[in-house]
Amino acid sequence: MAPLGAHAEMLDVEKDELKFGFIKLTDMAPLAIAYELGYFEDEGLYVTLEPQANWKVLLDGVITGTLDGAHMLAGQPLAATIGYGTEAHIVTPFSMDLNGNAITVSNAVWELMKPNLEMGADGLPQHPISAAALLPVIDQFADEGRPFNMGMVFPVSTHNYELRYWLAAGGVNPGYYSPDDVSGQIGAKAYLSVTPPPQMPSTMEAGTIDGYAVGEPWNQAAVFKKIGVPVITDYELWKNNPEKVFGMTAEFVEENPNTTIAITKALIRAAKWLDENDNANRLEAVDILSRSEYVGADAEVIANSMTGTFEYEPGDIRDVPDFNVFYRYFATYPYYSDAIWYLTQMRRWGQIAEDKSDDWYADVAKSVYRPDIYLQAARMLVDEGMIAEGDIPWDTDGFRPSTDEFIDGIAYDGRTPNAYIDSLPIGLKTGETAASK
Amino acid sequence: MSIASDIGSKGRSDDRRQKLFAGINRASAWLGALGLGWLTPLLKIAAGDNPREQMGELRDSLVFPLMGIVIFGLAWAALAPQVQTSLGAIPGPVEVWEQAGALWQDHVDEREKEAAFYTRQDDRNAKLIAEGREDDVKFRGFTGKPTFIDQIFTSLKTVGLGFAIATVIAVPLGIASGLSRPFNGALNPLVQLFKPVSPLAWLPIVTMIVSAVYVDVNDAFPKALIISAVTVTLCSLWPTLINTALGVASIDKDLINVGKVLQLSTPTTIAKLVLPSAMPLIFTGLRLSLGVGWMVLIAAEMLAQNPGLGKFVWDEFQNGSSNSLARIIVAVLTIGVIGFMLDRVMFTLQTAFTFSSNR
């Protein structure tokens, strides 16, 4: 396939000069690839990509219109639309990737955790590592009068929910949110706070936090800098979990329907390129991502996770072929059930303070996730011969089948969110509020 | 006869030499202002002056400063590798020099990409015209990233704009408060109150106000540029204001009295008496202001993520690659050199506009 073969059918785009924001993380790859390989230009779009300081700045940029769209945490469009934090109607026609995160603890914490781990025959710890191994360490901290602090990237980030999921599955209460207390530390044993992704390693090195949940390359960076040890990847927490989305305001999508489809087309092509031929293009992607205008970290650090391996302790390199998934398993399709999982976690931890009906969850998901736009873009790409018919789940009703591939084995079905919330051991259940806990 | 002509020719050559030396002496004031004072003794030696006499001068103006730089470089090269950071050892002069080269190469590459972008655009447009779709022809600007060199020019433009606004505000206010005691009394507490405020404190306020007020964004003056420039203004106008007021207040009373006797109008008094007398101090204030402005700008850009050298430094810090520290040091040295050159430019202007330190 000729990457610059501009035989794409150009839509009559309403706005052709666009500015997209991103955070320096490897999962912004579809944007960098669509730009570098000329996919945006093929659609008649002149795109400028701009790194943002943190998720808050990025979200504000999209809401105020300084940015036309951005690489976003899946929770951000949902939280903004239901009015948690800044209120704005943000939609997404494109899911950017699956997996790609990990939880890292500092060397000191790792040494304290080690005696609690089960070792394999090869002398290396057995994975996945449960937070139960962390529990005695947290108790030791408490005895010494020290809080156990961990970083995550944003209150409605995947990382916040993943870190909480892992801690709760191991019996550690990460604390609740309430309308009066948005610190999320009500009743907490481990104290979670916000740190922007690229600052995670230096913040942990400075001793402000004892561990963190973040996307790549900032876990591998801790290994390379010898300041911390990733204990679990999100793939081990929940196999093929949804991660980032591409977000735009509902207003922008309404005013620029063709532009939106054109953007989605370019991004789908980029995602396909990233996973094509068994990740054959990943090294080239690593080279592009390591440039200072994109992620900027050293190529060898980025390559570690992007090429399907993951280094836990220095030297403990294991195969995680699906660490970063951009196209396989219908990764780009915006499933309602993915959105609903995030909403269940917001309810579980008190960000959604009151009970909501199952219908409410489905309605919110349908107002934010826009598979209709996605399918239009995909249909055009199939007609142009850019992607195969079988790459797209044409007949889905937007709900993935029920799955129990979580670390604690609890089944999730997006059609019954309230039943799911009630089945989780630590967390608010039907009728409960943070105050009643 | 021959003796007389000898004396005559010697006199003429002496005359020429005198003129030459007078010329060199005149030039030396300018060379000094430009930071090239060490050229003066070299020129004098070249013109035939006694080398021994000039050696002392040369040693002070060239050899010692060079020694300072060399000693600093050696100490840096020796000490830097001793400090291990999580990004590797602190880079020495060699690594920094390599990164400076890499940044330049990056700039060259980006310009090539820009050329390729326009070629592609031209091809696309040519094809559209060939297909008879002239209406669809578009000309769009290059969408690539700003390089290090681009960021330098962005920063210079920003500091220039901020400094210009500061000057326009501070000089008239300074003159007014120098001339009028009541006005000075009213202004003084405000100056004392706002002078010590850091750019990092101004920035949030400026960002909100500029965003609210500056709605029709002009392409030549994007919002980020205005925000950084106004922050620079707020921090850098004080030295000019204070020095101007001081300069105006300390004019020789006789001059003012003469003006009164001649019944000069206020504008004439200001133009003919006040400004020329206060000029040296006004320029001192401007020099200080420009220095403060340049220093403040980098902080403002870093915090607000506005384009410029500050953003370059912040992005590199976030990148956390093994080259990042060396690149940040390149930026630090560049900031220093540009700051020095800005100061020299102001000093040269001061030399040009004022004939002596007081009149």
Side-chain angles (χ1 to χ4, degrees), chain B residues 25-102:
Chain B
N25 280 331
R26 266 201 310 278
S28 85
W30 290 98
L31 290 172
L34 289 167
L36 300 173
W38 47 274
L39 268 176
T40 313
L42 285 179
L43 283 174
K44 283 187 180 164
I45 292 172
D49 200 359
N50 181 358
R52 187 162 298 176
E53 270 175 32
Q54 294 303 325
M55 270 309 168
E57 181 67 21
L58 192 62
R59 201 179 55 214
D60 290 351
S61 61
L62 183 63
V63 177
F64 286 156
L66 274 182
M67 272 172 67
I69 292 173
V70 168
I71 291 171
F72 171 75
L74 289 175
W76 174 15
L79 293 175
Q82 314 280 331
V83 184
Q84 284 292 333
T85 73
S86 58
L87 287 177
I90 291 185
V94 179
E95 288 93 333
V96 170
W97 179 248
E98 277 169 8
Q99 282 310 313

Side-chain angles (χ1 to χ4, degrees), chain B residues 175-188 249 253:
Chain B
I175 292 174
S177 82
L179 288 178
S180 148
R181 280 176 60 92
F183 191 85
N184 188 37
L187 196 64
N188 196 38
K253 288 289 167 284

Side-chain angles (χ1 to χ4, degrees), chain A residues 4 6 10 13 16-17 24 35-36 41 44 46-49 51-53 198-199 202 205 218 225 227 291-298, chain B residues 85-87 106 110 113 117 120-121 124 127 133 138 140-145 305 311 314-324 327:
Chain A
L4 287 174
M10 256 205 252
V13 294
D16 60 351
E17 286 183 294
K24 288 177 174 281
Y35 179 87
E36 291 291 331
E41 279 183 43
Y46 297 87
V47 171
T48 311
L49 297 175
Q52 304 293 309
Q199 267 103 278
S202 47
E205 201 182 359
W218 308 115
K225 293 171 164 190
I227 59 171
R291 295 182 198 161
S292 61
E293 67 263 39
Y294 299 122
V295 183
D298 287 345
Chain B
T85 73
S86 58
L87 287 177
D106 190 41
E110 197 63 22
K113 271 171 104 174
F117 170 87
R120 284 203 302 280
Q121 177 162 299
R124 208 164 26 235
K127 218 170 92 191
R133 295 165 58 189
K138 283 177 208 157
R140 292 292 180 253
F142 181 53
T143 55
K145 60 148 184 183
Q305 296 282 293
K311 172 138 172 87
W314 188 250
D315 280 349
E316 280 302 332
F317 174 58
Q318 291 218 316
N319 284 347
S321 92
S322 51
N323 295 329
S324 290
R327 283 164 174 248

Side-chain angles (χ1 to χ4, degrees), chain A residues 5-26:
Chain A
H7 49 266
E9 188 73 38
M10 256 205 252
L11 285 156
D12 188 10
V13 294
E14 298 84 1
K15 184 171 183 192
D16 60 351
E17 286 183 294
L18 302 163
K19 185 145 85 170
F20 295 155
F22 68 90
I23 296 286
K24 288 177 174 281
L25 291 163
T26 52

